[in-house]
Amino acid sequence: MTELAHDQPPLVTGNKSLDDVTRDICAPMERKPTGLWWAAFIASFSALILGVVAVWYQLVTGIGTWGLNKTVGWGFDITNFVFWVGIGHAGTLISAVLFLFRQKWRTAVNRSAEAMTLFAVMCAGVFPLIHMGRTWLAYWTLPYPNARGSLWVNFKSPLLWDVFAISTYLLVSAVFWYVGLIPDLATIRDRSTSKWQKRCARFLALGWNGSARAWHRYETVYMLLAGLATPLVFSVHTIVSMDFATSVIPGWHTTIFPPYFVAGAIFSGLAMVLTLAIIARKTMRLEDYITKTHIERMCKLMLSMGCIVGLAYATEFFMAFYSGNGYEQFVFLNRALGPFSRAYWIMVSCNVLVPQLLWIRAVRRNLVAVFAIAIAINVGMWFERFVIIVTSLHRDFLPTSWADYVPSLVEIATFIGSFGLFFTCFLIFCRIVPSIAIAEVKAAAGLGNPKLPTSEERAA
Amino acid sequence: MKISACTEKVCVSFARECDLLAAIQVAKQEGLPLLDALTPYPVHGVETAFGWKSSRLTWVCFICGMIGAVGMLWFQHWSAAVSWPLDVGGKPWNSLPSDIPVAFEAAVLLAAFGSVAALFVACRLRPGKDPGDLPSRVTNDRFVLIFSGDSPGGGQANIEVAMQSFHPVEVQTLP
């Protein structure tokens, strides 16, 4: 099962042995961090500190420090929440959905994509928490017996479904990631020369010895987790979209939202995976493992998702026209031509027009071009959420209630802080665990049957 | 024989997975006291060569998932319609469709945690566990067969002769 079809390019280039794979992937953890790593870390950590200060300030002062008003009640907070949850989705797509589809090339990026999922969901979780205003009462969203009756939570509210969806997603992603890490932690335990690294790896590797019986069960559970994570990832963004779709706001109240949000989430997540993978392969010298073929395949996935998102934009517009509903039609014309039209056209050009370049093979194999396109999509997908949320709200049913929205500095600082949290976590991740799943790459790349040395070579 | 009951293990290391698979088949045919194989990654075909059935962990997953789904459906019904019926926008107290998303999440959560916990129990994995004396490079690039050294026909010399044609790299006896 481990051999590849003959017309497929190799998953790992550079004629590696199994030992080379272990050594190459562990190398970034075993050498001292480079100056580039420190520079990136200091920048990310500074952004994180800025975010912590901003969150502290708004907790103490109140969320009146935001640019929200009576009409625009959701702004940067929920935009950023949806943005970050979406980023997380590609990790699960790569680790679970592509696993079920037997896409062996996923092994080059699944570990880092899953880590990205975890960190992105952490960033996402910050925003609803601070959005509550009285964050210290966040535990009220959980149904626990209490002295108020017991007064239970409202299970009919999509906002509560979100609490369960996001926390389940975070927990299941963390378990999936850890289960995948166990064999690699055993590898680190057995090869590490650093006392602390060895001790930590020994604690976390759970006594893994690579027994075939254990692998047999492990593979069953890995398949089960992939099978569970696949519907989970679709349910999470479906539920996020229901936060909007079950309301009566024109522009939100549409049945297209669940598939539209899921496709958008995977699209933006793939863009983030590509952004990180292109940097990681270069700085961590992993070009033989994350090859141009891997990048090209992710580009194809991203292009297909981009086309689905483009179709969703067109469908939304058409349905607004076709519905004959004046409010719906106004919202969509207002999106394209109103005061936030710039955000709308950034969204369309970054998410629909720019990705069309990926039809060209030379572009897909040009890392600089792919990096630029991925960044454009990240920007475009952030604006998509901004457009959905703010343009649907700012023109209320009554023209007397119409309002504008400008984010305050506190909101911008919190947003920058979330990037700080994400990249700080990611940079630490690159240093402390193998950023590529060693055991999975070995199994997928079919390196287990090398040519045996001849008797002359053995004698030499 | 259980691997934990064995006091002396003869470990034969191979550099290639095809040698390991061929060696398992021969060891089975010749009735050598084969206990287990250690590999750096899951080698496909090992479970059929050993003749293992598919794992029952799928049942654990299914049962945990059902407990999650049914338990959460019951809890939502009980809390919203029995314990404290609360009128939310005139919706019926017991509205099943709105209970489905949370019941689904609970099913996934319990199924995932249940199957991983069952994996840890079945494989006797626990934090900080000492893996014991492992044959060298087994988590890196060696495929190892473990024979019971105590059983009849399990002596190192005997096993070395039987495994000779599969290019063994190393034969060790471990406690």
Side-chain angles (χ1 to χ4, degrees):
Chain A
M1 293 269 271
T2 46
E3 68 271 14
L4 291 162
H6 290 295
D7 55 342
Q8 298 271 325
L11 287 184
V12 175
T13 56
N15 209 7
K16 306 279 183 189
S17 70
L18 291 175
D19 186 44
D20 293 335
V21 174
T22 314
R23 203 165 338 121
D24 290 351
I25 298 176
C26 290
M29 303 156 50
E30 288 164 359
R31 54 175 176 246
K32 283 212 155 57
T34 56
L36 198 63
W37 186 91
W38 276 114
F41 184 79
I42 290 168
S44 320
F45 196 68
S46 313
L48 173 60
I49 298 284
L50 176 71
V52 170
V53 171
V55 169
W56 178 250
Y57 175 70
Q58 60 202 274
L59 282 181
V60 172
T61 320
I63 50 175
T65 51
W66 295 356
L68 299 176
N69 49 55
K70 200 161 65 61
T71 307
V72 184
W74 284 1
F76 253 47
D77 48 354
I78 304 299
T79 302
N80 297 337
F81 162 69
V82 182
F83 172 74
W84 279 118
V85 181
I87 297 284
H89 278 45
T92 321
L93 174 90
I94 289 169
S95 59
V97 183
L98 295 186
F99 177 79
L100 296 181
F101 281 111
R102 302 277 190 281
Q103 295 296 308
K104 289 182 172 146
W105 61 269
R106 72 184 256 292
T107 51
V109 285
N110 75 326
R111 171 70 47 74
S112 49
E114 285 167 40
M116 187 195 79
T117 296
L118 276 181
F119 308 145
V121 176
M122 277 159 52
C123 291
V126 170
F127 289 98
L129 282 177
I130 54 175
H131 171 84
M132 287 175 183
R134 290 185 288 167
T135 304
W136 49 95
L137 298 179
Y139 64 93
W140 282 12
T141 55
L142 301 174
Y144 65 99
N146 55 61
R148 299 181 297 278
S150 293
L151 179 61
W152 300 105
V153 291
N154 175 15
F155 280 111
K156 294 180 186 74
S157 163
L159 299 179
L160 187 81
W161 304 347
D162 239 359
V163 172
F164 281 86
I166 301 292
S167 24
T168 302
Y169 188 42
L170 182 66
L171 291 170
V172 172
S173 302
V175 166
F176 197 21
W177 189 64
Y178 178 60
V179 167
L181 259 174
I182 294 171
D184 289 1
L185 288 166
T187 303
I188 298 171
R189 174 196 68 202
D190 294 345
R191 67 172 270 119
S192 176
T193 46
S194 140
K195 191 174 132 202
W196 274 104
Q197 198 179 38
K198 211 177 180 70
R199 204 174 273 185
C200 294
R202 185 192 174 94
F203 182 79
L204 293 170
L206 312 177
W208 181 264
N209 60 4
S211 142
R213 278 175 206 279
W215 275 122
H216 182 48
R217 295 183 182 119
Y218 176 93
E219 286 215 287
T220 306
V221 168
Y222 201 83
M223 173 73 87
L224 288 171
L225 286 178
L228 289 167
T230 300
L232 176 66
V233 71
F234 290 105
S235 84
V236 171
H237 229 62
T238 297
I239 290 176
V240 169
S241 81
M242 284 173 179
D243 292 344
F244 302 94
T246 57
S247 73
V248 292
I249 306 291
W252 289 1
H253 186 68
T254 55
T255 46
I256 197 180
F257 259 33
Y260 165 32
F261 266 52
V262 171
I266 293 172
F267 183 47
S268 66
L270 283 168
M272 188 60 99
V273 172
L274 272 171
T275 312
L276 296 177
I278 289 173
I279 300 174
R281 78 191 282 278
K282 187 82 200 157
T283 53
M284 294 164 75
R285 295 168 218 158
L286 294 172
E287 285 96 337
D288 283 330
Y289 299 91
I290 308 174
T291 62
K292 282 194 175 171
T293 310
H294 290 107
I295 303 282
E296 191 181 353
R297 284 178 178 161
M298 281 192 278
C299 286
K300 286 181 185 169
L301 259 181
M302 196 162 72
L303 174 61
S304 55
M305 285 299 155
C307 292
I308 296 176
V309 168
L311 178 67
Y313 293 165
T315 310
E316 261 195 329
F317 235 98
F318 174 75
M319 288 314 292
F321 152 74
Y322 196 63
S323 68
N325 181 316
Y327 295 99
E328 199 74 27
Q329 288 168 350
F330 171 77
V331 164
F332 279 88
L333 283 178
N334 181 49
R335 273 185 191 174
L337 307 169
F340 288 105
S341 61
R342 245 179 300 172
Y344 182 83
W345 292 109
I346 292 176
M347 165 187 112
V348 171
S349 38
C350 289
N351 295 346
V352 184
L353 303 179
V354 171
Q356 301 310 318
L357 289 170
L358 295 171
W359 288 102
I360 306 161
R361 186 166 186 270
V363 175
R364 292 196 302 265
R365 294 186 81 85
N366 181 335
L367 295 179
V368 178
V370 172
F371 188 76
I373 292 172
I375 294 284
I377 293 171
N378 281 322
V379 173
M381 284 307 294
W382 186 87
F383 273 100
E384 180 198 296
R385 278 61 177 254
F386 183 82
V387 165
I388 290 173
I389 293 170
V390 176
T391 64
S392 306
L393 289 174
H394 81 126
R395 291 291 177 255
D396 209 341
F397 290 100
L398 289 175
T400 47
S401 310
W402 285 11
D404 208 355
Y405 170 67
V406 182
S408 71
L409 283 177
V410 176
E411 284 172 287
I412 295 170
T414 315
F415 181 46
I416 295 173
S418 69
F419 276 96
L421 175 63
F422 181 79
F423 284 107
T424 305
C425 290
F426 196 82
L427 287 164
I428 295 175
F429 152 79
C430 292
R431 294 285 316 157
I432 61 171
V433 290
S435 54
I436 293 179
I438 304 176
E440 286 193 60
V441 165
K442 284 177 184 169
L447 304 173
N449 289 314
K451 193 172 78 68
L452 285 180
T454 57
S455 47
E456 293 87 53
E457 282 169 339
R458 210 175 278 192
Chain B
M1 182 171 186
K2 276 205 164 175
I3 198 161
S4 50
C6 171
T7 54
E8 198 180 74
K9 289 181 258 189
V10 180
C11 306
V12 187
S13 304
F14 304 93
R16 309 195 303 172
E17 53 176 273
C18 55
D19 289 331
L20 176 93
L21 288 172
I24 295 174
Q25 279 181 346
V26 167
K28 282 269 172 192
Q29 278 163 13
E30 295 189 5
L32 295 176
L34 182 57
L35 292 173
D36 201 352
L38 303 182
T39 57
Y41 57 83
V43 175
H44 286 271
V46 167
E47 65 278 12
T48 36
F50 270 101
W52 292 331
K53 289 190 208 125
S54 54
S55 166
R56 284 169 299 174
L57 287 168
T58 44
W59 283 101
V60 176
C61 179
F62 176 73
I63 291 166
C64 289
M66 287 312 279
I67 293 173
V70 175
M72 206 38 152
L73 276 179
W74 170 81
F75 179 73
Q76 291 182 83
H77 171 79
W78 176 80
S79 62
V82 179
S83 172
W84 185 314
L86 191 68
D87 190 335
V88 180
K91 291 172 193 165
W93 287 330
N94 179 28
S95 49
L96 186 65
S98 67
D99 290 349
I100 289 172
V102 175
F104 172 79
E105 301 300 330
V108 169
L109 186 66
L110 249 74
F113 274 72
S115 17
V116 171
L119 169 75
F120 290 174
V121 171
C123 298
R124 296 191 176 75
L125 300 174
R126 61 168 193 278
K129 184 184 165 188
D130 181 6
D133 287 324
L134 291 181
S136 54
R137 298 164 71 164
V138 73
T139 52
N140 180 14
D141 61 347
R142 288 286 180 261
F143 305 86
V144 180
L145 279 187
I146 302 181
F147 296 90
S148 158
D150 314 335
S151 310
Q156 181 165 342
N158 191 15
I159 288 165
E160 263 192 271
V161 172
M163 295 287 111
Q164 202 52 56
S165 51
F166 305 109
H167 320 100
V169 194
E170 197 181 8
V171 182
Q172 301 164 267
T173 302
L174 294 175

